[in-house]
Amino acid sequence: MSLFWRIFAFNAVVLGAATALLLWAPVTVSVPVLLTEAVILVSGLVVMLIANAALLRIGLGPLDRLTRMMTTVDLLRPGHRLPEHGRGGIPELIRTFNAMLERLELERAASSARALLAQEAERRRIAQELHDEVGQSMTAILLGLKRAADEADGPLRGELRQAQEITRASLDEVRRLVRRLRPGVLEDLGLVSALTSLTTEFATHTGLRVVRRFDPGLPVLDQETELVLYRVAQEALTNAARHADADRVEVTLRHTDGTVVLAVTDDGSGTGMAREGAGIRGMRERALLIGAALDVTSGPRAGTRVRLSTPVSRKQS
């Protein structure tokens, strides 16, 4: 029986019982109303209201849970489903909602994958252009400044030397941007070497102390998984430098029970509750690409920890 007919039937029973009492029970209503008659009428009304409230609470309880989940569902945290409890049409409604959630999660994962792959392709293109065009042009300018400085006299030589140093610093910055956009170390030497290079450059650039703890004998991961781990570490380090007010950052990479776990922990001020900014949501989208779980914890004066756990398939290992 659907929820509508259940409520209608119960109300019909209650109203029918009240009508029967008025027709056949030795109960009358005087004018003016006597106290006993008023007590009986009020008691009957209270019973009817309580019975209707109980039925509506029981019948509409699953709808309340469904409404709360609709307002709190996050497609970047997949897997949340409502139990298919209730009677009438409630279980069918919950099944439909759960199926809709599953479709939305699959579509979100597919669209995120396309967007992130396009983003990586664009990063590679920009990095290639910076390396081939800007880098080579600045190298040519640097060589020209060197020749001019060698042939110049007096104050002009000093100015040319200064321009040469500025150009060299700019060229180093371009090369650093190229490495961030396209981690060639990751493609050539693997994840551990890429993370080592990333943390070394991060410590040099920011002045923070970085501690690395990498398990030996890590399993071989596919290229997509390694790229996600690298990008999550990169984003977590960037957040630590920008927002954490930290002095020390620890980067760990462990393999346990068929799972590779990356953790980036700082000793900064923390926020009490991790803010879901664009950086964290971007990390969650990357985690979805490889079926990984991302956990971000932060407490006041307790620092922030970003933890990514990805299962290792037999094919990978």
Side-chain angles (χ1 to χ4, degrees):
M1 185 181 296
S2 67
L3 181 62
F4 169 79
W5 287 111
R6 287 168 56 203
I7 295 176
F8 178 80
F10 187 83
N11 279 296
V13 170
V14 173
L15 293 174
T19 303
L21 286 174
L22 290 176
L23 289 176
W24 292 297
V27 178
T28 58
V29 179
S30 304
V31 180
V33 179
L34 300 177
L35 178 60
T36 55
E37 296 172 346
V39 169
I40 292 174
L41 290 174
V42 171
S43 299
L45 178 62
V46 170
V47 169
M48 291 174 61
L49 291 176
I50 292 175
N52 275 278
L55 174 67
L56 292 174
R57 173 67 63 183
I58 295 172
L60 300 180
L63 293 181
D64 291 337
R65 293 195 298 272
L66 183 63
T67 302
R68 287 194 299 271
M69 187 170 183
M70 285 179 175
T71 58
T72 59
V73 67
D74 187 354
L75 296 180
L76 293 179
R77 295 180 175 86
H80 296 289
R81 300 291 185 270
L82 279 177
E84 298 175 2
H85 296 161
R87 298 179 179 178
I90 298 297
E92 181 62 27
L93 178 62
I94 295 176
R95 278 194 295 271
T96 303
F97 177 74
N98 288 338
M100 180 192 70
L101 268 185
E102 185 172 358
R103 289 196 304 271
L104 288 176
E105 288 173 357
L106 292 175
E107 292 173 2
R108 176 60 185 267
S111 62
S112 296
R114 290 193 296 268
L116 291 174
L117 290 175
Q119 183 185 86
E120 289 297 332
E122 185 67 9
R123 284 173 181 249
R124 286 193 296 270
R125 185 187 67 80
I126 295 175
Q128 192 69 35
E129 290 186 0
L130 284 175
H131 179 271
D132 295 343
E133 302 295 335
V134 180
Q136 292 182 8
S137 298
M138 294 184 71
T139 300
I141 293 172
L142 193 61
L143 293 174
L145 287 172
K146 183 179 183 303
R147 288 193 300 268
D150 292 340
E151 298 173 359
D153 297 325
L156 181 59
R157 176 179 295 180
E159 293 180 4
L160 290 173
R161 296 292 187 193
Q162 185 178 5
Q164 187 179 353
E165 292 303 320
I166 295 174
T167 305
R168 182 178 290 109
S170 299
L171 181 59
D172 291 340
E173 182 65 19
V174 169
R175 289 170 176 168
R176 189 182 69 84
L177 290 174
V178 169
R179 288 194 297 270
R180 287 180 61 86
L181 289 170
R182 184 174 180 267
V185 178
L186 180 64
E187 299 176 0
D188 299 335
L189 301 178
L191 180 62
V192 172
S193 297
L195 289 178
T196 301
S197 175
L198 174 67
T199 51
T200 301
E201 182 180 345
F202 173 80
T204 302
H205 188 69
T206 63
L208 298 179
R209 181 189 173 202
V210 179
V211 177
R212 294 185 293 266
R213 303 184 190 278
F214 300 155
D215 282 355
L218 290 168
V220 178
L221 303 173
D222 60 61
Q223 186 176 0
E224 186 179 42
T225 301
E226 287 190 345
L227 182 59
V228 169
L229 289 167
Y230 180 87
R231 291 300 188 195
V232 168
Q234 188 179 49
E235 183 63 35
L237 288 172
T238 301
N239 287 343
R242 289 179 178 174
H243 309 298
D245 192 22
D247 298 318
R248 178 179 180 273
V249 180
E250 180 176 313
V251 180
T252 62
L253 189 63
R254 303 190 182 280
H255 178 222
T256 175
D257 298 330
T259 302
V260 172
V261 180
L262 169 73
V264 180
T265 308
D266 64 64
D267 63 351
S269 57
T271 60
M273 181 172 59
R275 293 172 293 178
E276 292 288 327
I280 294 178
R281 295 188 70 82
M283 287 189 282
R284 293 195 184 281
E285 289 182 348
R286 290 187 180 277
L288 288 178
L289 288 178
I290 58 174
L294 182 76
D295 181 39
V296 182
T297 57
S298 181
R301 296 178 298 278
T304 301
R305 185 186 71 166
V306 177
R307 186 175 185 271
L308 181 72
S309 304
T310 177
V312 181
S313 65
R314 294 181 179 179
K315 182 178 180 181
Q316 289 177 329
S317 61

